[in-house]
């Protein structure tokens, strides 16, 4: 049975959130040389801006254009892929060749750091079609912005070409390049990185966790020293998914009982030592970024094909709660979930929205609600107690994430896919990336 990689992205939640020297095991690291000075020097004299936590309306008339690489939208103007992390008023954008930082309220580029090497999949971020592959948005902390892309290393003499997972780290404020680590992920001289997923899953004071996944062919997770980029450990047939203190949980493709199955495997983030195995006998399996108190697993049962949402204890892997979705054998995964970075996880399964307490898995509310004559909106983002989306008529709306009640229904201005106290990011009617400043 062909495994399908299901990507559930909730930006920024895995950066211990919510998240120089030579490499080993085929990896290498390069230092600050080669970094690109900021396009315009950063300045502390930034214009004053209105903030709200959480925002309930955005100023559509003051929208600011962002780099085209920030996100991708379809012909209907709906965002299908994001390549940017929004933190405060800065957007951190990964492209096949560089990581850039942009002030989303002015559109000014703050800095750019190049990726050394030839892009492994240069066209993955172009086009209006739904494509669940490509680089994931950078992981950003107070100190570091870190991103991962595939790179092709050309043949050299009798040494054939190969693909690396290249991870770059830069100072969040200045853009000074800290290091680049290059890990060989394919021994096949004819391999390419088309349709690969590259992601920095977590950044902590102990390790930077990055992964490379390409359909049924390669799955590699690597842990790097956050100060130097040196390889700490590497595991094949494993996709890192979510971080829970010192416990990393991911999808394990190395199941001795059946090569078509997957399972959830927990590792020590610093050493790679295995802690527990759970959610066995799954045909597809991904970790949902959520509160560190619970491991949330989007799982399809191997035998029945039924989709499930599992809530596991990160210390032991024991099941705390389980929700079964609609569908029979061979169906898709449970659905997509959005974590508000505080206390609520909202999941959309076949048009039904259900909110859970992110620490206990207790059910908070569900829509549609026929008794109250309420329908479910199309959710786009969740942040700090607010759920953003569009009504059935296509109008932006904001709900209270804890209660599900309407919070803002008029002059909302935008249905963002990313939110901070300064702005919401979305695509305009032409599909162009825009930042919409906070109105209230």
């Amino acid at each position: 049975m062909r495994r399908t990689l299901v990507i559930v992205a909730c930006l920024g939640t895995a950066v211990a959130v919510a998240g120089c020297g030579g490499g080993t095991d085929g990896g290498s690291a390069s230092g600050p040389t080669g970094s690109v000075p900021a396009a315009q020097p950063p300045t502390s004299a930034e214009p004053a801006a209105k903030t709200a936590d959480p925002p309930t309306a955005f100023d559509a008339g003051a929208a600011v254009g962002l780099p085209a690489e920030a996100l991708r939208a379809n012909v209907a103007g709906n965002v299908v892929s994001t390549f940017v992390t929004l933190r405060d008023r800065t957007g951190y954008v990964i492209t096949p060749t560089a990581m850039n930082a942009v002030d989303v309220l002015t559109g000014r580029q703050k800095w750019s750091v190049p990726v050394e090497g030839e892009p492994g999949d240069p066209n993955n971020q172009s086009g209006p079609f739904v494509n669940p592959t490509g680089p994931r948005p950078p992981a950003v902390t107070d100190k570091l912005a870190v991103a991962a892309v595939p790179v092709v290393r050309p043949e050299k003499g009798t040494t054939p070409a190969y693909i690396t997972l290249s991870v770059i780290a830069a100072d969040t404020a200045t853009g000074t390049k800290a290091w680049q680590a290059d890990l060989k992920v394919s021994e096949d001289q004819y391999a390419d990185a088309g349709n690969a997923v590259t992601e920095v899953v977590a950044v902590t004071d102990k390790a930077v966790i990055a992964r490379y996944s390409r359909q049924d062919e390669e799955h590699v997770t690597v842990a790097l020293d956050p100060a130097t980029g040196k390889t700490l450990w590497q595991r094949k047939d494993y996709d890192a998914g979510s971080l829970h203190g010192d416990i990393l949980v991911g999808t394990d493709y190395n199941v001795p009982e059946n090569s078509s199955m997957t399972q959830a495997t927990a590792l020590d983030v610093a050493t790679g030592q295995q802690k527990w195995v759970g959610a066995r006998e799954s045909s597809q399996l991904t970790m949902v970024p959520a509160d560190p108190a619970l491991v949330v697993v989007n799982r399809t049962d191997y035998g029945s094909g039924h989709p499930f949402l599992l809530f596991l204890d990160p210390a032991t892997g024991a099941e705390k709660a389980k929700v079964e979705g609609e569908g029979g054998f061979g169906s898709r995964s449970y659905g997509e979930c959005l974590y508000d970075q505080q206390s609520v996880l909202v999941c959309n399964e076949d048009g039904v929205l259900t909110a859970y307490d992110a620490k206990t898995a207790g059910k908070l509310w569900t829509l549609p609600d026929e008794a109250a004559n309420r329908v479910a909106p199309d959710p786009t983002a969740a942040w700090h107690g607010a759920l953003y989306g569009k009504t059935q008529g296509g109008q932006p709306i904001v709900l209270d994430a804890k209660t599900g009640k309407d919070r803002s229904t008029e002059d909302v201005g935008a249905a963002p896919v990313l939110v901070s106290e300064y702005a919401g990011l979305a695509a305009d009617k032409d599909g162009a990336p825009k930042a919409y400043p906070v109105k209230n």
Side-chain angles (χ1 to χ4, degrees), residues 160 241 399 405:
L399 304 186
K405 295 180 178 179

Side-chain angles (χ1 to χ4, degrees), residues 304-362:
S304 68
H306 284 231
F308 290 90
L309 194 66
L310 305 182
F311 298 87
L312 308 180
D313 183 336
T316 65
E319 187 177 293
K320 295 287 189 178
K322 177 170 67 175
V323 181
E324 184 172 0
E326 298 293 332
F329 186 80
S331 67
R332 76 280 181 281
S333 62
Y334 177 82
E336 293 191 1
C337 298
L338 299 169
Y339 175 48
D340 79 339
Q341 308 294 307
Q342 282 189 341
S343 62
V344 181
L345 182 71
V346 182
C347 296
N348 183 9
E349 202 279 324
D350 200 26
V352 176
L353 293 187
T354 306
Y356 302 93
D357 184 301
K359 287 181 169 56
T360 68

Side-chain angles (χ1 to χ4, degrees), residues 54-58 338 378-383 386-390 397-399 412 414-416 419-420:
T56 56
F58 304 91
L338 299 169
D378 181 16
T380 57
W383 194 72
L387 177 67
Y388 303 87
K390 294 180 181 180
I397 190 173
V398 184
L399 304 186
V412 177
V419 183
S420 76

Side-chain angles (χ1 to χ4, degrees), residues 126-154:
S126 61
F129 304 107
V130 176
N131 185 353
T133 63
R136 293 296 176 257
V140 184
T141 69
D142 291 338
K143 297 180 180 179
L144 285 180
V146 193
V149 295
V151 167
V152 176
R153 299 297 171 184

Side-chain angles (χ1 to χ4, degrees), residues 119-192:
D121 194 3
N123 300 315
N124 194 285
Q125 291 178 230
S126 61
F129 304 107
V130 176
N131 185 353
T133 63
R136 293 296 176 257
V140 184
T141 69
D142 291 338
K143 297 180 180 179
L144 285 180
V146 193
V149 295
V151 167
V152 176
R153 299 297 171 184
E155 65 176 9
K156 187 175 182 180
T158 56
T159 302
Y162 59 94
I163 301 293
T164 66
L165 168 66
S166 293
V167 184
I168 55 170
D171 182 276
T172 304
T174 66
T176 301
K177 190 173 185 179
W179 45 263
Q180 176 171 329
D182 303 302
L183 296 304
K184 182 186 289 187
V185 293
S186 177
E187 300 290 343
D188 184 355
Q189 62 176 308
Y190 301 109
D192 64 68

Side-chain angles (χ1 to χ4, degrees), residues 215-251:
Q215 299 176 341
D216 292 335
E217 298 179 28
E218 295 98 14
H219 301 276
V220 180
T221 290
V222 62
L224 306 170
D225 185 290
T228 65
K230 182 180 179 180
T231 300
L232 302 176
W233 56 264
Q234 185 171 338
R235 182 162 176 148
K236 293 184 177 181
D237 299 320
Y238 183 82
D239 277 343
S242 58
L243 185 68
H244 309 266
D246 290 336
I247 299 295
L248 176 71
V249 185
T251 303

Side-chain angles (χ1 to χ4, degrees), residues 195-208:
N195 297 321
V197 173
T198 53
E199 179 182 18
V200 176
V201 175
V203 178
T204 75
D205 59 353
K206 293 183 178 180
V208 171

